Amino acid sequence: EGHDQTPCTAGQKLTCGSRIRLTHISTGRNLHTHGIRSPLSRQQEVSGFGEDGEGDGGDDWIITCEGRDTYWTRNRPFKLQHKDTRTYLSSNAQYQYNQRNCGGNCPIMNHLEVAAKATPDLETRWK
């Protein structure tokens, strides 16, 4: 579900073009973005935001399916476009936090940066 929408139930089919919010199970924070630059790729920063699944419109993403799919289907490529900024969720192995690029201040050492890009490409394609 997106901001101010009724939560979906486990197993419910999600229609391509639906507005969703992704909440981290352990922290209760939502996948969020805004106009701040990401530290490694210099794209748009993506972070965790909110408390217990509550947040704001910066937590809303649109499911963008490939081809003629009607529903978001497991193991089929898709993109997540941020509702407010129109950017696409992305990741690339080139942008990994390590001792060289952030010393001891890395969010999580040896993890990839997740950012949002203005233009869809292979880095914005998820499965």
Side-chain angles (χ1 to χ4, degrees):
E1 93 282 357
H3 184 63
D4 291 334
Q5 289 185 305
T6 305
C8 60
T9 58
Q12 178 180 337
K13 287 184 176 183
L14 297 175
T15 305
C16 298
S18 292
R19 182 171 44 136
I20 64 168
R21 171 176 292 178
L22 299 172
T23 304
H24 191 273
I25 292 173
S26 299
T27 66
R29 301 206 182 269
N30 303 317
L31 189 68
H32 179 91
T33 192
H34 41 256
I36 296 173
R37 282 201 184 271
S38 58
L40 301 181
S41 66
R42 309 304 293 160
Q43 298 296 320
Q44 189 170 294
E45 181 181 66
V46 172
S47 61
F49 178 79
E51 300 271 336
D52 297 321
E54 295 296 323
D56 63 21
D59 306 335
D60 291 352
W61 299 84
I62 307 296
I63 302 169
T64 305
C65 303
E66 293 190 3
R68 297 182 180 178
D69 291 345
T70 302
Y71 295 102
W72 182 9
T73 306
R74 187 186 325 185
N75 297 323
R76 297 269 301 146
F78 67 96
K79 294 176 178 65
L80 289 176
Q81 184 179 35
H82 190 253
K83 181 185 171 292
D84 290 346
T85 65
R86 311 309 293 169
T87 55
Y88 293 86
L89 189 69
S90 71
S91 187
N92 181 319
Q94 177 182 350
Y95 303 111
Q96 180 178 4
Y97 292 104
N98 57 50
Q99 191 68 34
R100 189 183 82 255
N101 61 29
C102 63
N105 296 317
C106 296
I108 302 177
M109 189 68 78
N110 299 318
H111 280 216
L112 299 181
E113 174 188 81
V114 176
K117 295 178 74 169
T119 307
D121 60 17
L122 290 176
E123 295 173 13
T124 64
R125 194 173 190 231
W126 299 88
K127 210 170 188 187

